[in-house]
Amino acid sequence: MGGLTKPYDEVAIKLNEWYSAIKKGEVTDAEFLKKEVKGLGLFDDMEENQTVLLYFTLLEFRHELMLSDLRPKLVSMELHDFMEHIEDQRSKVQNSKGEMNQIDRMLEYYFWFFKGTHEFRKNQFDIALNCYKNAEKILEDVEDSNEKGEFYYKLAEVYYHIDQYQISVKYALKALGFFSEQPLMDEKIAWCYSVIAGNYLSKMQYDDALNYFNKSHSHAQVTTKQYLITSTIFNLGKCYFHLDKFTEALSYFDTAVELFEKHETRHAPKAYFNKLHTLLRLGQVVPATDAYQRGVAAAQDLGDKVYETEMQFLYHLYFHSNDSASDLKKWLEVIQSQNLHEDVYELAIEAARYYNKSGQLENAVVFYERADHARSLIQRGELLNEIEK
C-alpha cells in the first residue's frame, strides 16, 4: 500500500499486537503499542491507505472501550462521535471497492463486533444483539479460536442482560470450549464462569451460582488482573446477599469498593449500591448513610446515572418512605428507560415488601403491580426470542 513508510506486513503485525493487548486488558502495553503504531507513518498518504486506516481507527475505538471499562478517566474522546466517524470511514472504503476480500470481511466483522460492544455499554441491548448477529454472519471466516471465544462470550453477556438465561449459558459454555483449548486462559475462563453463575443467580439457583462464582474466583486468582479478581470478589458478595448472609456479603462488598476505587474502574458505583443495600438490610443506619453519600459522589464523578438513581431509590425508600412514593416511581421510570427490567423488578419488589411491612398497604400494592409489569416485560422478551429461534 503506497503511502506507508513501513511495509504493510510490519504494520499489520503491530496492529495485531495492539489488538491482542487490548483484548487482554493490558492498559500500559496497549497505550505503548498505540503510540508505536502511530509512529509507523499510517497517515502519510490518506487516500491510498484507507483500509489500513480503517483497521487502525477500529482498534483505536476498541482501545477507548477498554479504557472506559478499566480506566475511565483516561478516555480521551466521545465514543458516540467516534463511532459516527468510523461509519463514514467504512463507507468510503466500501464505495472504493467491489467485492470484499478476506481483510475487508475481517474489518466488517470488527466493525459490527465493536459497535455491538459499544451499544451494550449504553444498555441498548437489542441494538447490541443485532450488531452481534451481523458479526456472526462473518464469524465463519475467523480462524482465531481466541477471537471466537471472545465473540461467544459477548453474546452470552448480552443474552444474560436481556434475561435469556438458557441461551446465555449456552453461549458461555461455547466460549469456554474455545478458551479451554488454549494455554494460559484463566482470565477468559473466569469471565465465562462468572456469566454462567450470574444466570444461575438470576434464576435463584443460589447454590449453583455460588459454585460457579467460586470457580471464577479461583481462576481469577491465578492471574495478575486486579480488575478481574475484584469483580469475582464482588460477585461472591452478590451471591451471599441473595443467600441472606448479609455479614459475609458486606465483607466482600467492602473489599470490592476499596479495590474498584483504588484501580479507578467504572464499577465503584455498582459496588457502593450493593454495599448500601446490604447495610440497609443489616439496619446499620450510619454506615448506610456514608455509603450512600460516597456512592452517589462516585456515580456522579463517572457519569453513572443508573447507579446514582438506584442508590437514591434505596436510600429514600428506607429513610424517607412516608413522602417518597412519587419520587420512587419516577426513579423506576429512569431505570426502565435503560431497559433494565430485572433491576426495576428487584427494586419494585423491595419497595413493595418494605411498604407492606410498615403497614402502608396502598403503596405496597402500587409497587407489587410495578414489579409484575417488569416481570411481564422480561417474560415477553423470552417469548419473542423463542419465536425468533
Side-chain angles (χ1 to χ4, degrees), residues 309-353:
T309 303
E310 294 193 3
M311 281 185 275
Q312 288 173 324
F313 183 98
L314 274 185
Y315 184 80
H316 284 79
L317 171 65
Y318 276 81
F319 289 98
H320 305 286
S321 60
N322 290 333
D323 55 3
S324 290
S326 61
D327 285 332
L328 297 182
K329 287 185 277 188
K330 178 186 70 178
W331 287 324
L332 283 183
E333 289 305 317
V334 172
I335 300 164
Q336 182 69 61
S337 71
Q338 297 298 311
N339 301 312
L340 299 171
H341 306 314
E342 187 165 331
D343 287 20
V344 171
Y345 173 79
E346 290 182 357
L347 289 170
I349 282 289
E350 184 87 10
R353 289 172 178 166

Side-chain angles (χ1 to χ4, degrees), residues 102-250:
Q102 186 176 359
I103 293 174
D104 297 326
R105 287 180 63 76
M106 195 68 192
L107 294 184
E108 188 71 356
Y109 165 78
Y110 286 148
F111 170 78
W112 287 114
F113 187 29
F114 298 168
K115 181 175 172 65
T117 303
H118 175 49
E119 296 296 341
F120 175 82
R121 297 282 178 81
K122 291 158 54 183
N123 295 327
Q124 297 297 319
F125 302 127
D126 290 339
I127 299 174
L129 187 56
N130 285 332
C131 290
Y132 288 154
K133 286 180 177 178
N134 284 329
E136 191 172 22
K137 295 172 186 175
I138 312 169
L139 190 64
E140 63 185 27
D141 296 341
V142 177
E143 297 179 357
D144 185 354
S145 293
N146 187 17
E147 188 67 37
K148 288 184 176 181
E150 292 276 350
F151 176 79
Y152 287 121
Y153 169 77
K154 290 294 184 184
L155 264 185
E157 201 175 33
V158 75
Y159 275 115
Y160 166 71
H161 278 83
I162 60 173
D163 310 304
Q164 305 296 302
Y165 307 129
Q166 187 174 349
I167 301 173
S168 176
V169 170
K170 180 185 80 171
Y171 281 117
L173 290 172
K174 198 165 187 177
L176 190 62
F178 282 109
F179 292 137
S180 298
E181 293 173 354
Q182 306 167 67
L184 305 176
M185 280 289 156
D186 288 285
E187 177 188 358
K188 304 299 182 183
I189 291 170
W191 285 123
C192 290
Y193 280 139
S194 285
V195 171
I196 294 169
N199 282 287
Y200 280 120
L201 192 66
S202 294
K203 293 192 292 183
M204 297 184 285
Q205 296 175 228
Y206 300 131
D207 290 336
D208 289 328
L210 185 59
N211 178 40
Y212 279 104
F213 278 137
N214 277 318
K215 285 184 178 182
S216 176
H217 185 57
S218 294
H219 281 277
Q221 288 180 306
V222 175
T223 76
T224 58
K225 307 288 186 179
Q226 288 302 315
Y227 169 67
L228 170 62
I229 293 169
T230 307
S231 295
T232 62
I233 290 169
F234 169 82
N235 287 335
L236 284 167
K238 286 275 288 184
C239 199
Y240 280 112
F241 178 90
H242 285 285
L243 287 166
D244 293 335
K245 296 181 178 181
F246 301 122
T247 302
E248 291 92 330
L250 182 60

